[in-house]
Amino acid sequence: MHLLQYLLPAAILFSACNTAQKATRNDAYATDGYQLVWADEFNGSGPPDSSKWRHEEGFVRNNEAQWYQPQNATCSSGMLTIEARRENKANPAFQQGSDNWRQRRKNIEYTSSSINTRGRHEWQYGRFVMRGKIDARAGIWPAWWTLGVRGQWPSNGEIDIMEYYRGMLLANVATGTATPYKAHWSTKTFSVDSLGGKAWADSFHIWRMDWDETAVALYVDDILLNRVPLSQLENKDGSGINPFKQPHYMLLNLAIGGDNGGDPSNTTFPSRFEVDYVRVYQKK
């Protein structure tokens, strides 16, 4: 028999499996009235798809210890890995005597990556799903979250679909207040120990947000963590603006230390935030 005769059945089977997997992905929430509108399965090799994601670079927010750089985010074997590393490099933004926390650090002690869909893809309402595995050790601060496209933070609105630090899993929604850069938080926290401890943290989980005209609801493994009615989410500044009645873009990042992340000094590196897929569904 020709080699093709051996290969053809396998090729047909592979194609059928791929079609079945795609159908399952596309139709996963069809009974709830959703259809898939955007996804990244991270099936490529190398950096994340630049048509979907952009990178943050440098010291960015929250007095965090890491320097964000593109090379710490890579795709391989159907997985996005954001890797935080302990390494010592000169801070190119260093300015002697500066009061700016980004500039007064002479050296970079940690590197990591933060990617987002700003200017690439934004959505208003939908079911957002991410399958991933986090590192729940000291000083590690992974997050999957969204920001509104209009307004100054936090008056543009923030949703923390998945956030972890200091032994806690958080499900947060933030609005603005009359004080610039001061958020009003609708927060629920859950200790990782209460969820299953190290065994839980060492496994993959599915985080989900259902966001519609009535509420923002946040889940892990189909367990409701937090639900906030949109009627409670107007900015607390008298403007009457509701930042969750506008499109949001999403972010994936792995931060170290900073205002909330805790002390990473006794944690061994690298640290990894692994993401199997991110999918967005909307009502038909």
Side-chain angles (χ1 to χ4, degrees):
M1 296 174 68
H2 294 293
L3 180 61
L4 180 61
Q5 291 176 281
Y6 288 104
L7 293 179
L8 189 56
I12 292 171
L13 178 61
F14 179 77
S15 176
C17 289
N18 275 359
T19 301
Q21 289 170 354
K22 183 176 181 181
T24 300
R25 180 193 74 169
N26 290 352
D27 302 336
Y29 302 107
T31 55
D32 295 335
Y34 287 101
Q35 61 183 0
L36 186 72
V37 296
W38 183 92
D40 199 337
E41 307 292 324
F42 304 110
N43 287 329
S45 181
D49 185 345
S50 60
S51 70
K52 296 180 177 179
W53 305 97
R54 58 190 297 168
H55 289 270
E56 294 187 290
E57 298 193 47
F59 294 126
V60 178
R61 63 178 70 85
N62 300 323
N63 294 292
E64 292 161 2
Q66 80 290 334
W67 176 271
Y68 282 137
Q69 56 187 23
Q71 54 265 46
N72 290 55
T74 57
C75 300
S76 178
S77 302
M79 194 79 63
L80 166 69
T81 300
I82 300 177
E83 184 173 273
R85 305 165 188 153
R86 180 181 280 132
E87 50 186 322
N88 195 286
K89 306 194 294 186
N91 176 8
F94 173 68
Q95 293 185 19
Q96 186 73 43
S98 174
D99 292 331
N100 185 308
W101 69 273
R102 298 173 180 86
Q103 298 171 341
R104 66 172 176 254
R105 296 175 174 177
K106 188 172 184 178
N107 293 311
I108 296 164
E109 297 179 351
Y110 300 87
T111 63
S112 188
S113 274
S114 175
I115 61 175
N116 65 73
T117 66
R118 182 168 60 89
R120 306 284 201 269
H121 304 277
E122 293 120 10
W123 307 269
Q124 183 172 345
Y125 309 138
R127 175 166 286 178
F128 297 67
V129 184
M130 184 269 288
R131 181 176 185 267
K133 182 170 72 169
I134 63 173
D135 184 345
R137 294 179 298 153
I140 310 301
W141 187 357
W144 176 42
W145 49 305
T146 76
L147 289 171
V149 298
R150 293 186 299 276
Q152 175 180 282
W153 186 91
S155 295
N156 59 337
E158 175 179 331
I159 307 170
D160 300 321
I161 312 172
M162 184 285 295
E163 183 176 19
Y164 166 85
Y165 56 73
R166 299 189 184 190
M168 299 181 299
L169 198 66
L170 301 96
N172 303 325
V173 185
T175 56
T177 65
T179 303
Y181 304 110
K182 182 179 180 180
H184 174 83
W185 294 96
S186 299
T187 298
K188 294 289 181 68
T189 62
F190 303 81
S191 74
V192 168
D193 285 345
S194 73
L195 296 169
K198 186 177 185 300
W200 186 93
D202 287 344
S203 301
F204 279 86
H205 300 280
I206 296 177
W207 280 269
R208 186 177 100 230
M209 171 172 69
D210 288 353
W211 166 34
D212 60 21
E213 297 89 341
T214 63
V216 174
L218 306 175
Y219 301 80
V220 63
D221 298 331
D222 292 327
I223 299 169
L224 179 65
L225 302 178
N226 196 4
R227 183 182 186 276
V228 188
L230 252 65
S231 60
Q232 299 177 9
L233 291 176
E234 286 189 358
N235 287 325
K236 311 302 187 284
D237 56 4
S239 67
I241 294 173
N242 190 317
F244 302 98
K245 294 183 178 180
Q246 66 163 334
H248 279 225
Y249 63 92
M250 73 171 69
L251 306 91
L252 286 165
N253 68 275
L254 178 54
I256 305 297
D259 294 340
N260 293 323
D263 182 6
S265 58
N266 293 320
T267 297
T268 56
F269 284 79
S271 169
R272 297 182 179 92
F273 175 19
E274 297 174 275
V275 182
D276 185 11
Y277 57 76
V278 179
R279 299 168 184 167
V280 180
Y281 299 82
Q282 290 182 322
K283 295 281 188 176
K284 297 178 182 178

